[in-house]
Amino acid sequence: MKLSYLRKIRIIISIVFLSLIVIVFLDITNILSSGFISSATYLQFIPSVLKFSNLLVPTSIGFIIVLLLTLLFGRVYCSSICPLGTLQDLSSYSAKKIHKKKKFRYTKEYFWLRYSVLAISLILVLFGNLFLINLLDPYSNTGRIFAQLFNPLLILLNNLTAFTLEKFNVYLIYPIEIKEFYIVAASFPLIFLAIVLYLSYKRGRLYCNTICPVGTLLGLISKFTIFKLKIDKASCEGCGVCARVCKAECIEKSTKEIDFSRCVACYNCLDVCPSDSINYQLIQINNIQSESDDSRRDFLSRTSMFFIGLTSSAISQIKIIPKKESKVEVNKNSFASPPGSSTIDHFNNNCTACHLCITACPTKVLQPSFTEFGIFNIFQPFMDYETSFCNYDCIACSEVCPTSAILPITGIQKKNIQIGKAKFVKENCIVETENTACGACSEHCPTKAVMMVDYKGNLKIPEVTNKYCVGCGACEYACPTKPYKAIYVDGNLEHQTAEQKPTEKLDQKIDYKEEFPF
């Protein structure tokens, strides 16, 4: 049965899934609903596994669907759903257009490298560390590529267009402020993108079949797939056309065999086979066992045991330039994690640093970390109060997080979550150092945990009542002292509940004795 149409279906599905990811990460106006964003990331494997392990809800079973598809037809996730896979396909397609005679050829798998990366990744997961997963997960890397490279470029283009139209008194587009740009956070996805595109340009899906832990895991499961692409040796003419278009480099012309654990179900071979000798065939269990390599069986079984472990409006910025710099250095004990993350450990153990919350954050207080959470949690978002502050009633990050590193919360819950406590350093405050009135921190505190009290003469100085503080960082962001803040937020390792400040009542009796005046 001729199945060449499968390639066309695969291309259409790939474009759809990549387009969804692009739209989600390049939504610079934050107009997309949380439901749309959740749907777009529903089938991404690693986020779905983490979300299911935390919430155990039907809305987090995307990875189970992927596993079922893999058990039925092989690595269709790699061919159609994975956005990084589609980016590699675009690179391979470009190579073919530039070099008309470009051909792939069969190569043996890098067995020990491939399964060692998977084993180490899963061991780290079992010990609660996502370091390698963060660095190698295809979805998370794609997210960082679009969030840190293309999202800022789109904002620059938007601002340039807005500036140009403004000259003609056209105000259809408004400029968007770029709060911060971290060179280190942008450098890694840039280097990663360059390496992956180069490898795919030269060797097709080499990254997927050598380094990617998701690809290796699904390839391992593919060994037990019910339907496999097989070459009918009787009808095969031995022309080798299929091997020359196989970007997984897994079709051996001489033996007419397909290494299905590396096959990414691109169906290029089905499209070019002149004799229609390649088809899906039902594989018997005893055949699977006989095809297994005895020298590898023990290693693969040990590796598979690790699978269970996998399993709004902006506050205006008031800046008072001090006459001299602050002198007392501030050292935070810990940086705050986003509201809804419960504890910093929970956040670190479940965040894959895809940066979806960074793009969704309206104030851009969420920024990629470098050493703030430790080098093993690099690129995970942290609350950067130097850059901005957390809106008192905003829950955008908890609505879009695909891994449940930030658990869903309501707006009412958000107002009582204390992610950190404000600390006041009197020696840095310009009221103390300059005998100058300020009060920026108190003016911007949404809970009135920071109040101005009498100090010297007519001057007032901040006083912090931490039981009312939610750790939003508005005070730290507004504080004008440099280089060290006079007030800063120290993150809570475990989020607490802030008290509501009692509403002050006017103790005043009004005696209406006069008649109504008109």
Side-chain angles (χ1 to χ4, degrees), residues 159-175:
N159 293 350
L160 178 61
T161 304
F163 175 78
T164 304
L165 293 177
E166 186 179 334
K167 297 299 181 181
F168 298 96
N169 293 322
V170 178
Y171 301 96
L172 296 176
I173 300 176
Y174 60 89

Side-chain angles (χ1 to χ4, degrees), residues 355-395:
H355 293 185
L356 182 55
C357 59
I358 292 178
T359 62
C361 180
T363 61
K364 303 307 175 188
V365 66
L366 284 174
Q367 294 294 330
S369 66
F370 185 55
T371 59
E372 284 79 5
F373 290 137
I375 195 65
F376 287 106
N377 299 303
I378 189 171
F379 303 136
Q380 291 182 347
F382 76 106
M383 307 294 283
D384 183 6
Y385 298 133
E386 291 282 343
T387 297
S388 190
F389 61 96
C390 182
N391 273 340
Y392 185 49
D393 55 357
C394 176
I395 57 173

